[in-house]
Amino acid sequence: MIAWKNMDSLASYRKLGEMKRVNLAAAMAGESGADRVKAYTVPMGAGMAFNYGARPVDDEILSALSEFAKEAQLTEKFAALYNGEVINTGEKRRVLHHLCRGQLGEDVVADGVNKREFYLGEQKKIADFANKVHSGEIANAAGEKFTTVCQIGIGGSDLGPRAIYLALENWAKVNGTLKMKAAFISNVDPDDAAGVLSNLDLVHSLFILVSKSGTTLETLTNESFVKDALKKAGLNPSKHMIAVTSETSPLAKSADYLAAFFMDDYIGGRFSSSSGVGGAVLSLAFGPDVFAKFLEGASEADKLAKNEKLTENPAMLDALIGVYERNILGYPTTAVLPYSQALSRFPAHLQQLDMESNGKSVNRFGEPVHYATGPVIFGEPGTNGQHSFYQLLHQGTDLIPLQFVGFRNSQMGTDVVIQGSTSQQKLCANVAAQIVAFACGKDDENLNKKFNGGRPSSIIIGDKLTPQAVGALLAHFENKVMFQGFAWNVNSFDQEGVQLGKILAKKVLAHDCDGALKVYSELLNI
């Protein structure tokens, strides 16, 4: 029997607060530090590994975290989720994004439908459509092939798919699988749509409208913007647009689209990249086979997340070390630092994934919690970030845990030797140096040049950023966020916090407002 309890009611949590803390600078020094880094590594799928040698834990704390995982029933709660129990208590829904990439447990039948079969069926329909576009069977009015695909969406309909597309664009170029260039329109700011459209060959562009409800204000506004541009170019918008939506939305059976592909209420926006939300644009851009490899990598990571043994479950391990840092050590922020330009938008996706999921101050039952929950997430690719905000990370008054991602080899394979080493070697040297610099620091009589060290980090290391690696990376962080939500006893799968602003914006547009809201609307000339 699963018991959903607040974290501060667990004996194992109280025990963690009483334990001796790790002196990270001392632990990482010398040969003991080398042994520690070697020992604290766990495979995470797709040939990658999660190394937590520079996180502020030792074997005793890991043992206590394992006790916490058992008392909090994290494995059982994950099983309840993938077996189709109603985990999203706020919206009274199942949480089924894992089923897009594999059957982890029992068949899940909802609304009279086997959901794994439903998701596979939609993937096949998308694959068939993409293949017909690539072959020219589905073409523009002149019978010419579409060469660009542009996704219109916002939030989870944009951030994840955009991050994944950018992560694989260069890989696809060198591997001969870049079928179509992709673009994205998300912001309701007209400069976003206008800027993107100004760079597109509309005659050869195919647009994907993504809205589960079919009523998302920003997305429908941008759809109208795009349709207007197509009409002005003498084109029929219905021959240039497809929809990804729910079967019950007004978009589902509309003649305004060449085709419609379906998702359901059991997949939240920020967890939807494995569904048709990511599947349509990625299959059109790279081909269905590449999207299938992405799903394979995600499935590998999902299977590891089932492991009951904490030190063999990278997502749960990452999650609970994060809980320890947040709640015992009191660190309010986490930086995500990919040393890969291809992952330039991955931190932005993780901001939504983490902060929209676990940015909660009430538990699953709507009762206030009396401990910290989700951290603030930010990030930028290395080495760019080193020349931006690393000063504060190294010598600022706040200690900020760091999550590095690095790869031994570049995606494109083009490099030069300068001063005895390649650019890729310089990139990797920087990430290795930063981990040790943050952990160990440097003493100096001049306090302006002193580094206290003791600043924790982990790194996910892979050979190359492939579709499988991107899938495993995405699933790792999705599962990490899920486990942390379970630990904090919050509902990670609704987002009521985004609703109030939307309601007030509609009041402003309807000129139905007073007080400060009215004054601000007048200042903005609405």
Side-chain angles (χ1 to χ4, degrees):
M1 185 72 178
I2 292 177
W4 298 93
K5 296 181 178 180
N6 283 3
M7 182 172 68
D8 53 5
S9 70
L10 305 181
S12 54
Y13 173 68
R14 294 192 293 273
K15 176 181 176 181
L16 281 164
E18 296 165 358
M19 296 182 70
K20 181 181 178 182
R21 299 180 182 184
V22 171
N23 182 327
L24 185 60
M28 285 289 289
E31 285 305 310
S32 63
D35 293 340
R36 176 186 172 88
V37 173
K38 292 174 186 175
Y40 283 0
T41 301
V42 58
M44 56 166 282
M48 296 193 295
F50 172 64
N51 182 284
Y52 56 102
R55 298 286 282 273
V57 295
D58 56 18
D59 289 347
E60 290 184 4
I61 291 173
L62 288 170
S63 178
L65 288 174
S66 183
E67 291 177 28
F68 177 88
K70 289 183 175 67
E71 188 179 5
Q73 298 178 290
L74 300 188
T75 298
E76 293 89 337
K77 288 171 182 174
F78 184 31
L81 182 148
Y82 61 68
N83 285 323
E85 292 189 23
V86 177
I87 297 296
N88 179 350
T89 50
E91 297 171 321
K92 297 180 174 57
R93 293 173 180 169
R94 297 170 175 84
V95 177
L96 301 181
H97 56 275
H98 296 88
L99 274 180
C100 290
R101 47 219 197 199
Q103 187 80 48
L104 290 174
E106 304 163 2
D107 283 348
V108 177
V109 178
D111 312 316
V113 175
N114 181 300
K115 300 310 292 185
R116 172 63 178 160
E117 292 178 5
F118 171 74
Y119 299 141
L120 282 174
E122 291 305 305
Q123 287 171 15
K124 185 179 186 307
K125 285 196 287 185
I126 289 170
D128 291 344
F129 181 85
N131 287 331
K132 288 177 181 177
V133 171
H134 298 152
S135 70
E137 184 178 341
I138 294 175
N140 68 8
E144 299 164 337
K145 285 186 177 182
F146 292 111
T147 57
T148 301
V149 56
C150 180
Q151 180 129 317
I152 308 167
I154 197 165
S157 300
D158 170 76
L159 289 164
R162 188 194 296 248
I164 296 162
Y165 172 77
L166 291 174
L168 294 176
E169 183 180 27
N170 285 335
W171 179 91
K173 286 177 183 176
V174 297
N175 285 276
T177 65
L178 186 61
K179 309 289 186 181
M180 302 171 73
K181 192 83 173 172
F184 297 84
I185 297 172
S186 59
N187 199 332
V188 76
D189 181 344
D191 287 343
D192 185 17
V196 171
L197 293 173
S198 70
N199 290 315
L200 295 185
D201 173 7
L202 294 178
V203 174
H204 300 99
S205 294
L206 184 65
F207 294 86
I208 307 173
L209 185 76
V210 184
S211 174
K212 183 161 57 180
S213 67
T215 61
T216 309
L217 177 64
E218 296 95 334
T219 301
L220 295 184
T221 300
N222 280 328
E223 178 193 25
S224 296
F225 203 109
V226 169
K227 283 182 173 178
D228 184 62
L230 289 167
K231 289 173 184 174
K232 286 178 178 176
L235 302 169
N236 181 350
S238 67
K239 303 300 182 184
H240 285 259
M241 302 191 85
I242 65 174
V244 177
T245 189
S246 67
E247 290 180 288
T248 57
S249 97
L251 313 179
K253 295 179 173 64
S254 172
D256 289 345
Y257 308 101
L258 279 167
F261 305 105
F262 301 125
M263 52 179 162
D264 58 37
D265 285 337
Y266 305 129
I267 298 178
R270 57 194 175 276
F271 296 96
S272 65
S273 294
S274 304
S275 74
V277 173
V281 65
L282 297 173
S283 294
L284 284 163
F286 305 131
D289 290 347
V290 173
F291 183 64
K293 290 176 181 176
F294 162 80
L295 295 178
E296 287 172 14
S299 179
E300 279 189 56
D302 288 341
K303 289 172 184 173
L304 289 171
K306 293 176 64 176
N307 199 314
E308 293 183 18
K309 187 173 181 180
L310 179 64
T311 53
E312 295 176 5
N313 185 330
M316 189 189 294
L317 182 60
D318 195 3
L320 290 192
I321 295 174
V323 169
Y324 178 75
E325 290 170 337
R326 182 77 175 104
N327 296 98
I328 303 300
L329 302 183
Y331 303 151
T333 309
T334 298
V336 180
L337 308 169
Y339 274 61
S340 166
Q341 186 59 30
L343 293 174
S344 61
R345 290 296 291 170
F346 197 66
H349 170 58
L350 292 188
Q351 280 181 333
Q352 186 201 14
L353 175 66
D354 202 313
M355 295 168 72
E356 195 167 82
S357 295
N358 291 335
K360 310 289 173 62
S361 56
V362 299
N363 66 14
R364 296 169 54 80
F365 310 109
E367 304 160 343
V369 295
H370 303 291
Y371 44 79
T373 58
V376 173
I377 304 293
F378 74 98
E380 185 74 15
T383 56
N384 295 25
Q386 292 178 204
H387 295 267
S388 174
F389 50 80
Y390 277 37
Q391 167 63 45
L392 184 147
L393 300 184
H394 275 292
Q395 292 183 312
T397 52
D398 284 327
L399 266 66
I400 298 174
L402 316 166
Q403 296 208 286
F404 292 100
V405 181
F407 298 91
R408 299 178 191 93
N409 297 293
S410 65
Q411 283 186 316
M412 301 192 78
T414 302
D415 209 341
V416 292
V417 176
I418 299 174
Q419 297 179 349
S421 60
T422 66
S423 298
Q424 184 66 24
Q425 288 171 328
K426 290 180 175 68
L427 179 71
C428 291
N430 269 279
V431 70
Q434 290 295 333
I435 294 170
V436 174
F438 280 118
C440 297
K442 179 181 77 73
D443 197 17
D444 199 296
E445 290 183 5
N446 181 344
L447 296 184
N448 192 50
K449 295 183 179 182
K450 182 177 180 179
F451 293 74
N452 289 326
R455 300 187 178 231
S457 69
S458 58
I459 181 168
I460 293 171
I461 301 175
D463 186 56
K464 183 181 289 189
L465 188 59
T466 63
Q468 292 95 327
V470 174
L473 196 62
L474 180 86
H476 172 87
F477 281 101
E478 287 182 350
N479 292 328
K480 173 196 170 184
V481 165
M482 172 194 69
F483 282 128
Q484 288 188 329
F486 290 159
W488 287 317
N489 198 28
V490 299
N491 178 14
S492 302
F493 304 105
D494 67 2
Q495 55 284 328
E496 291 300 323
V498 306
Q499 301 304 323
L500 178 58
K502 291 181 180 181
I503 293 168
L504 294 180
K506 288 180 180 178
K507 282 181 168 288
V508 171
L509 292 171
H511 301 287
D512 177 25
C513 57
D514 53 20
L517 187 60
K518 187 174 189 296
V519 175
Y520 279 118
S521 67
E522 290 169 349
L523 286 171
L524 289 162
N525 198 31
I526 298 168

